[in-house]
Amino acid sequence: MAHTYATDVLVAGAGPVGLTAAGELRRRGVSCRIVDRLPARLPFAKAVGIQPRTLEVWDRMGMVRAALEAAVPMRGQFLYINGAEQARTELSVPPEVPYGFAALPQYETERVLDEFLGRFGTAVERGTELVSFRQDPDGVTCRLHTPSGEEEVRTRFLVGCDGAHSIVRKGLGLSFEGGAFAEEYMLADVRVDWDLPPGYAVRSMHRNGDGAVDDVLVCIPLPGHGRYRMSMMVPPELSTAPQADAAGDGITHGLQSGRSPGLADIQAVVDRLSPQPTTASDIRWTSVFRISHRIVDRYGDGRVFVAGDAAHIHPPTGAQGMNTGIQDAWNLAWKIALAVGDGTAHSRMLASYDAERRPVGEEVVGRTVRHAVEGMENDPDDPATLMMREAQLLVGYRGSPIVDPPGDGPGPRPGDRAPDCSGLTRPVAAYPMRLYDVLREREHVLLLYGAGPVTGSGLDALVRTARDLSGGRMEVCVLLPAGADADTGFEADGTPLPVYRDSRGEFARLYAAEEPTAFVIRPDGYLGARLSPPAPQPLATHLAAVFPAN
């Protein structure tokens, strides 16, 4: 049996969630191995919808361009009932949000993430499965089954992104409470020749005389002319019996084994429910899919964590699952990187993963189940709020142990997403930038807005506090109001600081900043603190909750 002790993190599972975790860890210089039991990526368009918040995550990582070039826009949805158009929903976000909704088949998402990971010299170890692990106060010992035999790996942390039947979840003894839907669905990646506008999903239902839905067809656009990922109810002859996994946990979420639907099965549903006569062709793959809804009682224990489907599974309504899992992984990765960089596990920092992400998982599971049963069109929220929530732009962490109390007042508060804005200028640049351009590939940022007391000895003290108590990890930027007199000459202890001007006043409007204020922006783009007026002592108090004592 081989022995390896040279990696900081082992990631089990190389789907979009595991690849995100590994990519973020490697981007931050953390050594990482990622293993997957499958010999190659599967060519299945399972998860398709990409939410605006996920694109913001990929922007911050530095890989959004590749995703945008591979994706197609999701512009909206047509709803048909008994052949008649009932509604046309337009997917839109406020103008300050940098990205809209997109569609990208899962195999392409995995390709983009895999190539990003490869930039850092790391590749997925295929055909390699985590079979057991044990942890102690200093690390985790993992046993792997590889193509060459058994291997024992010693790592500081283990991250389970290994799906609904997670070995990591079972090894931790986490509960996975919930239930399952009786219905089964066929999935298919096919081409149709209708002339509906591109970029729109199609949801077509049939209601019987009692008003109950007894037939449904959902089509999500994919890259390629006339290509869609379709889902529909399974006819009795293709139904699969509920299957337990090897450990007998009885979870039946996901693609099922058995006879796959054929093109004739798909065409029969299209003939019944398509809003226009059309022919399905060029089939790439089909499967039967079963849906459960479950969530763990905690997202980790000690040095071992779960993310994505290993932590929560639910109906695919609104394309929330993969996007939620990607954000799980991102939230966890920067915290593990911080713990690794300090050579110690900062308990409050690592505990914040569960504190921040499990409430999100609970809300998503509850909402998607409700939408699956009642229909998204019956959601009580107003359309603008519904759209922002489905875009995952309203996810927040108020009450987290590593953010300040939100306090009162307008604008984003600690624990809220830091919104983007445009119109930031510098003397040399001939074009305005967005705030996310300033934040891209930076980690912890102290953004000082206003020219008043953010000068001289007061500026020196703030910057010294930020740098000393973060161990040099926090960068400082100055943002001047549109009417400020000067935009150069800002120094701290003799070192020039980057200075930008809010030339259009968008930052001041979106952040409700009317006086000098310090904003602590975390690596994941959330506000950790909002300090007005800026002062070293409250900044020091905040940083003490984030960084271990140096």
Side-chain angles (χ1 to χ4, degrees), residues 32 62 67 101 156 194 268 276 284 345 383 397 421 426 428 457 512-513 517 529 536 549:
C32 174
F101 295 82
R156 292 186 181 185
W194 61 35
Q276 296 179 0
R284 286 181 175 167
Y397 305 133
C421 67
R426 279 181 59 82
V428 177
S457 60
T517 305

Side-chain angles (χ1 to χ4, degrees), residues 250-274:
I251 296 168
T252 57
H253 188 87
L255 303 181
Q256 303 297 299
S257 60
R259 186 171 82 84
S260 296
L263 190 57
D265 300 306
I266 307 303
Q267 186 65 53
V269 180
V270 169
D271 288 341
R272 293 196 307 269
L273 293 173
S274 172

Side-chain angles (χ1 to χ4, degrees), residues 27 29 188 191 206 221 319 329 375:
R27 186 174 76 86
R191 189 185 304 275
H206 181 269

Side-chain angles (χ1 to χ4, degrees), residues 11 62 93 96 101 105 175 205 211 219 221 259 310 324 328 376 383 433 520 532:
V11 177
V93 291
E96 65 269 13
F101 295 82
S175 69
M205 301 183 294
C219 309
R259 186 171 82 84
T324 301
D328 290 343
M376 192 179 298
M433 286 175 279
V520 175
S532 184

Side-chain angles (χ1 to χ4, degrees), residues 441-477:
E441 298 186 24
R442 282 182 158 131
E443 302 304 322
H444 303 268
V445 176
L446 179 65
L447 185 62
L448 301 175
Y449 174 82
V454 190
T455 55
S457 60
L459 179 61
D460 287 342
L462 275 170
V463 174
R464 195 176 303 121
T465 298
R467 291 174 176 168
D468 290 350
L469 296 187
S470 70
R473 297 180 185 83
M474 179 167 279
E475 297 186 55
V476 181
C477 298

Side-chain angles (χ1 to χ4, degrees), residues 240-320:
T240 62
Q243 300 172 6
D245 71 354
D249 65 10
I251 296 168
T252 57
H253 188 87
L255 303 181
Q256 303 297 299
S257 60
R259 186 171 82 84
S260 296
L263 190 57
D265 300 306
I266 307 303
Q267 186 65 53
V269 180
V270 169
D271 288 341
R272 293 196 307 269
L273 293 173
S274 172
Q276 296 179 0
T278 191
T279 300
S281 63
D282 192 16
I283 193 166
R284 286 181 175 167
W285 69 275
T286 63
S287 183
V288 172
F289 191 84
R290 297 182 65 90
I291 299 172
S292 294
H293 50 94
R294 300 175 184 271
I295 188 164
V296 292
D297 56 331
R298 59 193 190 281
Y299 273 26
D301 184 10
R303 292 175 172 268
V304 183
F305 305 90
V306 291
D309 283 358
H312 47 80
I313 53 177
H314 45 81
T317 315
Q320 299 294 293

Side-chain angles (χ1 to χ4, degrees), residues 279-440:
T279 300
S281 63
D282 192 16
I283 193 166
R284 286 181 175 167
W285 69 275
T286 63
S287 183
V288 172
F289 191 84
R290 297 182 65 90
I291 299 172
S292 294
H293 50 94
R294 300 175 184 271
I295 188 164
V296 292
D297 56 331
R298 59 193 190 281
Y299 273 26
D301 184 10
R303 292 175 172 268
V304 183
F305 305 90
V306 291
D309 283 358
H312 47 80
I313 53 177
H314 45 81
T317 315
Q320 299 294 293
M322 181 186 70
N323 293 272
T324 301
I326 286 172
Q327 292 170 56
D328 290 343
W330 201 40
N331 183 286
L332 178 60
W334 72 264
K335 295 171 180 177
I336 288 180
L338 186 61
V340 168
D342 285 313
T344 181
H346 190 204
S347 59
R348 183 181 296 183
M349 171 63 69
L350 295 176
S352 73
Y353 171 58
D354 179 85
E356 293 182 350
R357 293 305 300 175
R358 189 155 54 91
V360 174
E362 291 172 342
E363 191 276 332
V364 168
V365 170
R367 171 161 45 95
T368 54
V369 168
R370 187 171 64 252
H371 284 171
V373 174
E374 301 174 1
M376 192 179 298
E377 61 273 14
N378 295 315
D379 192 288
D381 279 334
D382 65 89
T385 300
L386 174 63
M387 197 66 61
M388 289 288 284
R389 194 184 61 206
E390 294 298 308
Q392 298 195 340
L393 296 171
L394 299 183
V395 171
Y397 305 133
R398 293 191 185 191
S400 165
I402 60 168
V403 305
D404 283 4
D408 298 320
R413 314 305 298 179
D416 294 346
R417 165 183 165 270
D420 196 13
C421 67
S422 61
L424 306 187
T425 58
R426 279 181 59 82
V428 177
Y431 57 89
M433 286 175 279
R434 304 186 70 95
L435 177 60
Y436 284 9
D437 295 330
V438 177
L439 299 178
R440 185 177 298 116

